[in-house]
Amino acid sequence: MSSVAELPRWDLSPLFSGLDTPDFQAAWDHLQNRIRWLETLMSRHGVGQPSDKDAFHQIIAALNDIYEAQTPLSAYLYALTSTDATDQAAQAKLSEYESLLLQMQRLRPRLTAWLATLEPARVEAGEYKILIEEAQVQAQHMMSEPEEILASELSLSGGAAWAKLHGNLTSLITARVNGEERPMSAVRLLAMNPDPAVRKAAYEAELKAWEANEVAIAAALNGWKGEQSTLNRKRGWPDDLEPTLRQNRITRRALAAMQAAMVESFPMWRRYFRAKARALGKERLDWWDLFAPIGSAGGTRWSWEAGQRFIVEHLAAFSQADADLAARAYAERWIDALPRKGKVGGAYCMPIGGGKSRILTNYEESFNGVSTMAHELGHAYHNHCLAAKPALLRQGPMTLAETASIMNETIITEAALRAVPEAEQVTILEGNLQDAAQVVVDIHSRFLFEQWVFEKRRERELSPSEFKELMLEAQAATYGDALASYHPYMWAVKGHYYGIDFYNYPYAFGLLFGLALFKRYQLEGPDFVAQYDDLLASVGTHPAQELAERFGFDLEDPGFWAGGLEVLAERVMRFEGLVG
């Protein structure tokens, strides 16, 4: 059995041996040279003027080279800074890297305008057709080239700097719980403690810590949203949501259909919250009870090794390739699992090139920790499936980015429900519903909050108190009276509000789309897997609707989304029956 101290840290040596080493400098120089070569090609072919097939394919090749060169550099720098916010050398080099990318950003307006003039058939665009089609829309929402270049240059000291402030500051915040000073990532893990007094103490300590830092964090949120709202208005977007719909390759009608189904499901989720409250001996849940474990306290202890064995074994029943990739991730130390001060909270997976990935998590020995690992390994498998595609076509929308992770998570959860004794099934089932409630109920509260913030931020900055009021209002609209208390600082907790917009509804999309695919797998069995792998490999080449149609799904039909929610409704009923 491993202790917490023995949890793995990832191996970054396959990327680079250090920041001040010949291999890192060579990669840096190569990226610079690739960007300069793109500039040369653009001048040679008169980009900005009508062009021919050869020019298109040469420039596409140059762009692929740039993105291939970027991947290991950005992964290495982000890996260093997200596991140690005090690493000043890495922070400085990351700032230099962002300045280097500005050279590319300065070229983007002209490239986009040029792509928009092309006819896919005439230049034989093939799978790159989607880039031309999207450029044609984007070109209608661009400022002048000098204005776009200036916006890119100012972003480093504007929006991007505010996002960086949030990440660095929150990774260093600590809170004192029962006399012990802990990093915020560890404090938030106490929400899963079986002792309600510990959970409540952690919640109260967390709120105090956020309050002590609310002015700086509110400034970061005002700064990012203010810049984005201004740019969206200058670019002629009808609102701040529309550009994210384009980026996510879905229609407004598809989003509306999904959200209508989500809201329709809220009474079902409130039944779940009330059932969990009964299991905890309470009339209503408090916020600090949302992640409370229930069921047998003497159940399975999911050590790091036990979780690893379980994941690899049961993924193999679905896809041997998926299982092999997971086994490789463990064996080759792709994973950083140890919670510690200076490390960001939560979990993520990022590609590093060649179909390989690095995974960050803050592991705790419960099934939730195992489920999170399976989720992130799904992202790693998706990166593996995309490896044969050129770099430009590996960049799928966020709406489809959760497909493999949800599939992995669902497979492991179903396997756990079959494997553990009946007395423990309620714990596994509740953990799954706990996560799903976050993605349906809490995600919608985050969407409402962000929508309201954008509406008000167009007029002026908001105070910390106003952010808290909006968050509480959003939580009341989604959780309703199922909870006796809320969390007024979730806008400070969630890094998704900073550096990107509306990074909430794609998670709901991913969950419900993934559940629909899982249902199809149950019907088709092994024959499904080849189609699934092809879908994962195609997320960079087709809009979401086209990929969904391969399986007979209509994203603009609320009934499609209700189908995914029916899977969750069945689990709620089963849960209610188990807890009484």
Side-chain angles (χ1 to χ4, degrees):
M1 296 288 186
S2 64
S3 68
V4 171
E6 294 169 338
L7 288 172
R9 301 192 187 200
W10 50 26
D11 178 16
L12 300 179
S13 61
L15 284 167
F16 302 105
S17 52
L19 287 175
D20 298 318
T21 56
D23 57 341
F24 185 89
Q25 189 60 50
W28 188 281
D29 293 343
H30 177 68
L31 176 57
Q32 280 187 315
N33 290 335
R34 292 295 84 198
I35 294 173
R36 288 174 186 146
W37 173 239
L38 176 62
E39 290 184 88
T40 299
L41 279 177
M42 289 175 64
S43 297
R44 178 182 300 172
H45 292 294
V47 168
Q49 303 296 322
S51 195
D52 58 16
K53 178 180 68 176
D54 289 341
F56 173 75
H57 287 281
Q58 287 181 36
I59 287 172
I60 288 295
L63 287 168
N64 278 321
D65 287 346
I66 288 170
Y67 287 122
E68 290 286 8
Q70 277 184 237
T71 299
L73 285 168
S74 62
Y76 188 65
L77 292 169
Y78 191 61
L80 293 177
T81 54
S82 61
T83 51
D84 184 3
T86 66
D87 187 339
Q88 295 184 13
Q91 295 284 2
K93 186 58 72 172
L94 178 60
S95 179
E96 287 183 48
Y97 174 75
E98 290 167 344
S99 296
L100 172 60
L101 293 189
L102 264 181
Q103 298 174 33
M104 178 65 195
Q105 290 300 105
R106 293 188 186 101
L107 302 176
R108 187 165 298 282
R110 198 164 12 129
L111 273 170
T112 299
W114 176 70
L115 284 171
T117 66
L118 303 181
E119 296 177 13
R122 188 172 65 82
V123 298
E124 299 179 9
E127 286 190 310
Y128 294 104
K129 173 185 176 183
I130 193 169
L131 302 183
I132 294 175
E133 292 173 340
E134 291 182 337
Q136 289 169 347
V137 174
Q138 191 177 354
Q140 298 172 26
H141 297 280
M142 283 175 52
M143 301 179 290
S144 69
E145 184 175 339
E147 287 174 319
E148 290 289 351
I149 292 172
L150 179 61
S152 296
E153 293 176 346
L154 289 177
S155 69
L156 294 187
S157 56
W162 289 117
K164 187 182 295 185
L165 170 66
H166 176 269
N168 291 342
L169 176 60
T170 56
S171 66
L172 294 172
I173 292 174
T174 61
R176 184 170 293 275
V177 183
N178 296 331
E180 182 180 353
E181 197 75 19
R182 299 169 182 257
M184 187 58 81
S185 58
V187 173
R188 288 189 55 75
L189 286 176
L190 292 176
M192 302 171 188
N193 193 285
D195 186 342
V198 172
R199 297 197 304 270
K200 183 178 181 181
Y203 167 82
E204 291 174 344
E206 181 190 347
L207 293 193
K208 288 181 181 177
W210 292 124
E211 183 178 16
N213 292 276
E214 67 177 8
V215 172
I217 300 174
L221 189 54
N222 274 309
W224 172 260
K225 296 305 182 193
E227 177 184 274
Q228 291 303 105
S229 185
T230 299
L231 290 173
N232 287 336
R233 188 167 61 252
K234 294 291 186 182
R235 288 170 176 149
W237 291 108
D239 57 25
D240 298 298
L241 176 63
E242 183 66 22
T244 74
L245 296 171
R246 296 290 182 173
Q247 291 158 11
N248 285 308
R249 294 176 179 168
I250 65 170
T251 63
R252 195 175 287 261
R253 287 182 61 183
L255 177 63
M258 181 185 76
Q259 291 182 326
M262 290 164 64
V263 171
E264 187 73 19
S265 77
F266 286 168
M268 175 265 289
W269 290 110
R270 291 166 188 166
R271 282 179 22 230
Y272 155 68
F273 294 134
R274 285 192 288 269
K276 180 167 184 175
R278 290 195 300 273
L280 294 173
K282 303 180 70 168
E283 182 178 346
R284 288 192 297 168
L285 294 179
D286 282 290
W287 189 274
W288 58 84
D289 299 318
L290 283 172
F291 301 102
I294 66 170
S296 174
T300 303
R301 173 177 172 264
W302 294 89
S303 69
W304 179 255
E305 293 84 356
Q308 174 181 342
R309 288 192 298 271
F310 192 86
I311 288 172
V312 173
E313 175 187 350
H314 290 285
L315 286 182
F318 166 65
S319 163
Q320 189 59 51
D322 198 355
D324 290 345
L325 190 281
R328 183 181 182 189
Y330 283 109
E332 296 181 4
R333 292 174 53 210
W334 290 11
I335 306 160
D336 192 297
L338 179 67
R340 55 195 184 273
K341 184 178 179 180
K343 179 180 177 180
V344 298
Y348 69 73
C349 174
M350 62 180 173
I352 65 170
K356 302 175 185 177
S357 300
R358 287 298 180 268
I359 293 169
L360 178 144
T361 186
N362 289 275
Y363 191 76
E364 40 87 22
E365 294 186 332
S366 70
F367 183 73
N368 184 71
V370 177
S371 177
T372 298
M373 270 307 309
H375 182 104
E376 299 306 330
L377 286 165
H379 286 301
Y381 183 65
H382 198 166
N383 293 336
H384 167 77
C385 290
L386 284 164
K389 292 286 185 179
L392 281 171
L393 300 181
R394 293 200 294 265
Q395 301 175 36
M398 289 185 293
T399 38
L400 297 172
E402 298 299 314
T403 304
S405 55
I406 294 300
M407 181 65 76
N408 267 23
E409 190 178 327
T410 305
I411 288 165
I412 295 306
T413 298
E414 292 292 318
L417 287 170
R418 295 190 301 268
V420 303
E422 186 174 338
E424 293 182 44
Q425 289 178 17
V426 66
T427 303
I428 302 298
L429 187 61
E430 198 284 322
N432 176 260
L433 289 172
Q434 183 186 111
D435 291 343
Q438 285 291 295
V439 176
V440 178
V441 183
D442 199 71
I443 281 293
H444 197 59
S445 75
R446 298 182 217 174
F447 175 85
L448 293 175
F449 169 81
E450 189 161 5
Q451 193 173 45
W452 296 338
V453 166
F454 265 124
E455 289 172 0
K456 294 179 180 297
R457 187 62 186 84
R458 291 190 199 115
E459 301 171 4
R460 59 173 176 82
E461 292 186 350
L462 285 79
S463 68
S465 294
E466 288 175 304
F467 284 133
K468 289 188 288 184
E469 290 169 5
L470 288 176
M471 182 55 74
L472 292 173
E473 185 178 348
Q475 290 168 353
T478 52
Y479 287 96
D481 61 1
L483 300 189
S485 55
Y486 301 127
H487 193 311
Y489 283 102
M490 287 305 290
W491 55 273
V493 175
K494 295 298 179 182
H496 291 166
Y497 292 122
Y498 308 81
I500 197 165
D501 295 326
F502 289 104
Y503 197 2
N504 34 60
Y505 68 80
Y507 276 100
F509 185 107
L511 173 65
L512 300 179
F513 186 68
L515 287 174
L517 288 175
F518 179 74
K519 287 176 68 176
R520 184 58 57 89
Y521 162 63
Q522 289 180 309
L523 290 172
E524 297 182 4
D527 292 342
F528 167 87
V529 177
Q531 300 177 64
Y532 170 72
D533 287 352
D534 180 61
L535 181 145
L536 295 180
S538 303
V539 297
T541 56
H542 301 281
Q545 180 69 18
E546 287 185 24
L547 291 178
E549 286 172 354
R550 295 186 185 184
F551 295 90
F553 300 154
D554 179 4
L555 301 184
E556 295 184 351
D557 178 8
F560 163 72
W561 302 105
L565 285 159
E566 284 172 8
V567 176
L568 300 173
E570 292 168 4
R571 292 177 183 172
V572 169
M573 290 179 63
R574 182 177 175 184
F575 176 72
E576 289 176 305
L578 287 170
V579 301

